[in-house]
Amino acid sequence: MYESKNKLYFSNPRIDLINLIPKNKDNKVLEIGAGACDTLVEIKNLNFAAEVVGVELMNLENSQQGNSLIDRLIIGNIENIELDLPENYFDVIICGDVLEHLVDPWATLNKLHKYLKPSGVIIISVPNIREYHILYKILVLRDFRYSSYGILDRTHLRFFCKKNIINLLDKSLYRIVSVTSIFKLDKLRNTKKIIDWWTFGLIRDFLTAQYVVVATKAL
């Protein structure tokens, strides 16, 4: 199903995740699900890392995967391959909209744990199944139809709301530093922000399209 997706699905740098990286030009960054490697190239361009390594399921022609700024690109399914990488090596590991595509995201987070420095951070983003558009579709329209993109992307194998995301990290040897709500993925982003402000954040979970989590390595 991935082969039929628009190239933009794998492209565009994740500025929201890049902004969470500790500003250190000597960072070593590992990205799981690097796609076209736009995010890793941007990290290098911004001088936020000295070394960037990506893991991606497939080769993408005419993309940044071949950019000389990428120090190493590993092609393969993160769930099935062993990473020939040094332990306690990376300052930052990024999993941007990846875990929901995996059969066992818990095992994958456990696998990645040993590659993160004791002082390092892991940054993940995960769609929120509790967003009100999805609830309306399921509860009112009685429709769980998949789509080509978004929260009900047909390539998503796992679904999470905030409690499950927190549990996912807690059960995978990490300590959560922050959980941020993202209202994007639709044209009502600004409207959602206004509603969130007027409701004092009480219904934020229903407005959130995606959660971004920063966690450290639990020693």
Side-chain angles (χ1 to χ4, degrees):
M1 285 187 284
Y2 290 101
E3 287 79 1
S4 63
K5 286 189 174 292
N6 188 298
K7 289 183 179 180
L8 292 176
Y9 185 87
F10 304 96
S11 305
N12 298 320
R14 289 294 302 272
I15 301 300
D16 55 336
L17 305 185
I18 292 173
N19 287 336
L20 297 172
I21 294 175
K23 305 305 183 285
N24 185 340
K25 63 182 179 61
D26 296 321
N27 280 330
K28 297 178 178 65
V29 177
L30 170 65
E31 183 181 17
I32 308 302
C37 291
D38 293 58
T39 296
L40 292 178
V41 169
E42 185 67 11
I43 289 171
K44 270 292 191 73
N45 283 331
L46 291 171
N47 202 28
F48 285 178
E51 180 179 349
V52 295
V53 177
V55 178
E56 171 53 34
L57 184 63
M58 54 191 178
N59 285 301
L60 297 172
E61 295 182 0
N62 303 314
S63 74
Q64 297 275 27
Q65 285 187 345
N67 194 304
S68 60
L69 293 176
I70 306 298
D71 294 284
R72 185 178 178 188
L73 178 63
I74 300 169
I75 299 296
N77 186 331
I78 185 60
E79 296 196 84
N80 301 329
I81 62 174
E82 289 300 322
L83 299 177
D84 179 23
L85 296 170
E87 296 185 11
N88 300 307
Y89 185 74
F90 292 96
D91 301 279
V92 181
I93 296 178
I94 299 174
C95 298
D97 293 320
V98 170
L99 300 178
E100 65 273 15
H101 294 267
L102 305 181
V103 174
D104 192 346
W106 298 270
T108 297
L109 285 175
N110 284 334
K111 175 190 287 190
L112 295 174
H113 182 269
K114 66 182 179 181
Y115 302 109
L116 188 65
K117 286 182 179 179
S119 59
V121 296
I122 185 167
I123 302 170
I124 72 170
S125 60
V126 183
N128 174 35
I129 191 66
R130 206 175 174 208
E131 199 266 354
Y132 78 92
H133 285 103
I134 305 302
L135 292 182
Y136 178 81
K137 183 177 180 180
I138 295 171
L139 299 178
V140 178
L141 301 182
R142 295 178 292 179
D143 185 1
F144 203 99
R145 191 183 332 163
Y146 287 88
S147 59
S148 299
Y149 58 90
I151 296 172
L152 290 180
D153 187 317
R154 62 174 52 91
T155 59
H156 290 177
L157 302 179
R158 297 289 182 177
F159 297 93
F160 301 91
C161 56
K162 185 177 181 179
K163 180 186 293 186
N164 309 127
I165 296 168
I166 291 172
N167 182 261
L168 173 66
L169 272 295
D170 285 343
K171 296 294 184 182
S172 305
L173 309 175
Y174 299 93
R175 183 178 296 107
I176 293 175
V177 174
S178 65
V179 180
T180 304
S181 292
I182 305 296
F183 297 145
K184 66 177 185 178
L185 304 182
D186 60 48
K187 296 179 181 179
L188 298 176
R189 178 173 54 190
N190 292 332
T191 302
K192 284 182 172 183
K193 289 181 179 180
I194 294 171
I195 295 172
D196 182 62
W197 187 81
W198 278 106
T199 56
F200 304 100
L202 294 176
I203 63 170
R204 184 172 299 159
D205 286 351
F206 300 105
L207 301 173
T208 300
Q210 185 181 64
Y211 286 104
V212 173
V213 182
V214 177
T216 57
K217 188 174 183 177
L219 303 179

